[in-house]
Amino acid sequence: MGFLSEALGRIQPSATIAISRKAADMARTGRDVISLAAGEPDFDTPKHVRDAAIKAMNEGKTRYTNVDGIPELKEAVARKFRRDNGLDVTAADCFVAAGGKQVIFNALMATLNPGDEVVIPAPYWVSYPEIARLCDADPVYAVADASTGFKLRPEVLEAAITPRTKWLILNTPSNPTGAAYTAEELRGLAEVLLRHPQVHILTDDIYEVLVYDGGSFATIAQVEPALRERTLTVNGVSKSHAMTGWRIGYCTGPRELLGAMLKLQSQSTTNPSSIAQWAAVEALNGPQDFLKEWRAVFQGRRDLVVRGLTANTGLDCLTPQGAFYVFPSVKRLLGKTSGGGAKLATDEDFVMALLEETGVALVHGTAFGLPGHMRLSYAASNAQLEDAVGRIQEFCSKVS
């Protein structure tokens, strides 16, 4: 009898965390490292949000709360969904957890059985298939590569659905590609889903506020209200308010599902941090004007990075519509040798050689389900990005 569970043997550790850890280890030895592997805003949490947390602590709001969130936060979440997404929901339709990842984990753990299938567009955030596997379900990949702007096409979705399909996971804007679906593109997917009533939709909207070039955000339950009763709309304050460490995610969905998630969370972590919840109330209810400035900064960084990565590097890089990632192709440089003598057979070889020879930490595309690419997070200062891009350009120029 083995000591570790069989379920744990079905999953892999997070590649993004592993690369970030290696970069940190190199930095501790004195190496000059620029890590663009992790996905978190480099801005400070807004002051009015921090002040709300201090106020909560000073008022003694440090006890257990309701498992699925304090009433004030659930009301704020419902108000946000009504205000920003046109979803007519109340606090009873909402749920709060310790981060968006826990919301997703709760939902899949509460619903999946052995043999169930989860359709996941590839490339994908690294945790989606691993959570499905942990629940003893089978991830089914629907390829959405550069030829479609990294967006799932209706015919590809149709081909991926079987009688065993229980969930489709959508992420817009996307990690790792920054692709953002328009309302019309979501409508095309919705038409497919209406023909398959057994399929539920989990839409991860965590990058909602980061859509560029004057584009507008859309979520599928808003575009097609007939899907609302089988859609879990997931969001959080991590990316929108630079609160990654506060660990507050939230969602709205069918009450039967929320009840099952409540049952599960009551036997796992119980409530999210009480202090973080009060900060999140202020984040959702308070002023949002800073977002316009943040969005402009991120768009400028995106443009800086895309220009640099496509300037005689041998890389091919689409311009993303949202989030803070680019996902360039390294395919034209594979099969060659780096300036330091490393054989670049795979995208992982490429990013590891880049890290060793230049100190720039990125994540290989295979980790996201699409080999031949790499992900760069431009949630860093302009000076860091200019330095990193310069190092990448020099590295690529020496590949032969």
Side-chain angles (χ1 to χ4, degrees):
M1 179 186 297
F3 177 59
L4 299 180
S5 76
E6 292 181 4
L8 195 63
R10 292 195 293 267
I11 67 172
Q12 299 295 321
S14 169
T16 53
I17 293 174
I19 294 287
S20 296
R21 184 178 297 124
K22 180 175 176 61
D25 290 343
M26 289 174 61
R28 277 192 292 272
T29 67
R31 289 287 304 275
D32 178 14
V33 174
I34 303 174
S35 182
L36 303 178
E40 81 179 323
D42 59 318
F43 300 117
D44 289 332
T45 303
K47 186 176 185 302
H48 64 279
V49 177
R50 288 181 275 139
D51 288 344
I54 295 169
K55 182 172 183 286
M57 285 187 284
N58 289 338
E59 292 178 352
K61 294 175 178 175
T62 56
R63 311 275 183 189
Y64 293 132
T65 74
N66 292 348
V67 170
D68 59 345
I70 57 176
E72 293 84 351
L73 181 51
K74 291 177 68 175
E75 288 286 354
V77 168
R79 189 177 304 113
K80 176 261 180 288
F81 280 126
R82 292 194 299 268
R83 177 187 69 220
D84 299 339
N85 307 116
L87 300 178
D88 185 18
V89 300
T90 68
D93 303 304
C94 299
F95 185 96
V96 180
K101 185 182 284 189
Q102 189 182 24
V103 173
I104 297 166
F105 181 89
N106 285 346
L108 297 189
M109 181 63 75
T111 57
L112 289 173
N113 295 305
D116 287 343
E117 294 178 347
V118 180
V119 174
I120 304 172
Y124 45 72
W125 179 47
V126 295
S127 292
Y128 296 144
E130 305 305 333
I131 295 173
R133 288 193 187 98
L134 195 60
C135 299
D136 209 10
D138 299 318
V140 173
Y141 303 119
V143 175
D145 60 17
S147 68
T148 62
F150 299 117
K151 297 179 187 180
L152 180 63
R153 296 291 304 153
E155 62 272 17
V156 177
L157 172 59
E158 183 79 63
I161 293 174
T162 76
R164 296 196 296 155
T165 306
K166 185 166 278 187
W167 285 100
L168 162 69
I169 298 180
L170 283 176
N171 176 212
T172 178
S174 161
N175 174 7
T177 68
Y181 290 82
T182 65
E184 190 59 31
E185 288 164 340
L186 289 175
R187 192 166 289 110
L189 298 178
E191 289 175 2
V192 175
L193 294 164
L194 289 171
R195 295 195 290 270
H196 299 277
Q198 86 278 14
V199 181
H200 293 71
I201 306 98
L202 190 156
T203 177
D204 183 353
D205 299 346
I206 197 75
Y207 297 96
E208 171 185 356
V209 301
L210 297 176
V211 178
Y212 307 125
D213 302 314
S216 57
F217 175 79
T219 194
I220 199 162
Q222 174 187 27
V223 169
E224 180 46 80
L227 292 175
R228 181 181 152 191
E229 286 306 311
R230 47 190 173 110
T231 300
L232 187 71
T233 304
V234 181
N235 213 314
V237 293
S238 292
K239 318 298 183 179
S240 59
H241 292 76
M243 294 176 69
T244 50
W246 299 73
R247 308 312 302 138
I248 295 292
Y250 56 81
C251 65
T252 184
R255 292 188 186 182
E256 179 185 15
L257 173 58
L258 299 186
M261 293 166 61
L262 173 64
K263 186 183 199 179
L264 178 60
Q265 189 159 296
S266 74
Q267 295 292 3
S268 57
T269 59
T270 317
N271 62 275
S273 160
S274 60
I275 299 158
Q277 287 188 67
W278 284 105
V281 171
E282 177 61 25
L284 295 178
N285 288 345
Q288 310 291 316
D289 50 316
F290 65 91
L291 290 173
K292 183 177 181 181
E293 178 184 347
W294 286 11
R295 193 158 42 240
V297 170
F298 275 128
Q299 182 171 324
R301 293 172 175 177
R302 176 203 66 175
D303 294 343
L304 181 162
V305 168
V306 171
R307 279 197 306 270
L309 294 183
T310 54
N312 300 315
T313 58
L315 305 173
D316 297 299
C317 186
L318 297 184
T319 300
Q321 298 94 26
F324 39 66
Y325 308 104
V326 293
F327 198 64
S329 169
V330 301
K331 292 177 182 177
R332 287 196 284 148
L333 299 178
L334 297 183
K336 300 183 179 181
T337 304
S338 74
K343 300 297 183 182
L344 307 179
T346 67
D347 52 7
E348 185 170 8
D349 293 338
F350 188 95
V351 298
M352 295 309 297
L354 181 69
L355 178 57
E356 292 291 345
E357 295 177 29
T358 73
V360 176
L362 308 181
V363 187
H364 52 294
T366 298
F368 304 99
L370 197 65
H373 294 75
M374 61 183 182
R375 189 193 75 173
L376 180 155
S377 167
Y378 52 86
S381 70
N382 282 39
Q384 285 181 305
L385 293 172
E386 288 172 354
D387 189 358
V389 167
R391 298 186 197 189
I392 293 169
Q393 289 172 333
E394 183 177 7
F395 176 85
C396 292
S397 72
K398 295 179 179 178
V399 171
S400 60

